[in-house]
Amino acid sequence: MIHAGDLKIRALSPDDAVHLVKWLSDERVLTYYEGRDRPHDESLVQQSFFPEDDGETRCLILYTDKPIGYAQFYPLDTPEKQLYGYVHDVVVYGMDQFIGEPAYWNSGIGTQLVTAILHYLHKEKRVQKVAIDPQAWNERALRCYEKCGFRKVKKLPLHEWHEGSMRDCWLMEWTSPADKTRD
């Protein structure tokens, strides 16, 4: 689906569940994605990542052909668009991702990954805006997204449940280069 140097992103397949179970039972990964109080077994992975078609594109991330993570992107639905203030925008996408192999953290792969997905969404899907909502305390994610062209739009107080409490998040937005000239 997407190729950028040593990075490949392809559609998630049922055989990939084994990777998700491994990554989402690793406390280091769960610290940032889902929470350490929510380890995933095979059943929870099936329920969370292999539902009936819901409009989300779910992907496996490979680096030098080794599975290292997960990404998803999707058009925001009407309630999300209202919550984020996009009621007048026709199509806004959301995206989520994580690198599940900690050995690949802090090496620029996250920036390469997000940039590749943004390029794909803009060129192939003609997406003009992408919104993400990382937790406010996740400085590494915030820096990555800002390097990729996202900007903080507004704080979302008590927006996401994580490890036993509601956490603040940032609504961050990427706007296509063509749209930036009109702002």
Side-chain angles (χ1 to χ4, degrees):
M1 181 186 312
I2 303 171
H3 296 267
D6 289 332
L7 185 72
K8 293 179 186 168
I9 305 167
R10 65 157 173 80
L12 194 66
S13 74
D15 292 340
D16 297 328
V18 65
H19 304 298
L20 292 166
V21 170
K22 174 188 173 202
W23 299 328
L24 295 174
S25 59
D26 183 327
E27 285 194 10
R28 296 168 296 176
V29 176
L30 290 170
T31 298
Y32 299 99
Y33 196 88
E34 295 293 328
R36 291 169 287 194
D37 60 344
R38 193 169 155 75
H40 284 51
D41 58 13
E42 177 73 28
S43 175
L44 188 52
V45 162
Q46 289 300 321
Q47 175 188 336
S48 299
F49 295 90
F50 297 95
E52 294 297 319
D53 185 26
D54 59 2
E56 292 191 12
T57 301
R58 293 177 173 82
C59 304
L60 189 74
I61 303 162
L62 300 109
Y63 193 78
T64 61
D65 294 322
K66 176 184 173 37
I68 66 161
Y70 171 81
Q72 63 186 24
F73 47 89
Y74 45 90
L76 294 184
D77 60 21
T78 300
E80 285 176 305
K81 286 170 69 175
Q82 289 174 338
L83 173 67
Y84 294 156
Y86 293 116
V87 288
H88 300 295
D89 294 286
V90 178
V91 179
V92 179
Y93 265 63
M95 62 186 280
D96 304 288
Q97 59 282 316
F98 67 86
I99 295 176
E101 295 290 338
Y104 290 83
W105 292 357
N106 300 314
S107 61
I109 295 171
T111 301
Q112 186 180 359
L113 164 69
V114 172
T115 300
I117 293 172
L118 291 172
H119 180 79
Y120 172 82
L121 290 174
H122 180 62
K123 295 296 182 190
E124 301 298 324
K125 302 281 188 183
R126 303 289 184 232
V127 172
Q128 300 300 308
K129 289 185 180 180
V130 178
I132 53 175
D133 59 358
Q135 291 186 24
W137 63 268
N138 191 344
E139 291 294 328
R140 182 172 59 204
L142 295 171
R143 280 191 311 273
C144 172
Y145 301 145
E146 287 173 334
K147 280 194 272 184
C148 296
F150 281 90
R151 65 181 176 82
K152 292 176 181 169
V153 175
K154 68 178 175 179
K155 194 92 166 244
L156 302 170
L158 306 175
H159 180 69
E160 184 173 282
W161 185 261
H162 187 80
E163 297 188 346
S165 65
M166 294 301 290
R167 304 281 180 103
D168 294 348
C169 294
W170 274 105
L171 172 62
M172 298 182 78
E173 175 185 280
W174 174 88
T175 304
S176 74
D179 282 0
K180 287 180 185 172
T181 60
R182 288 184 265 179
D183 288 344

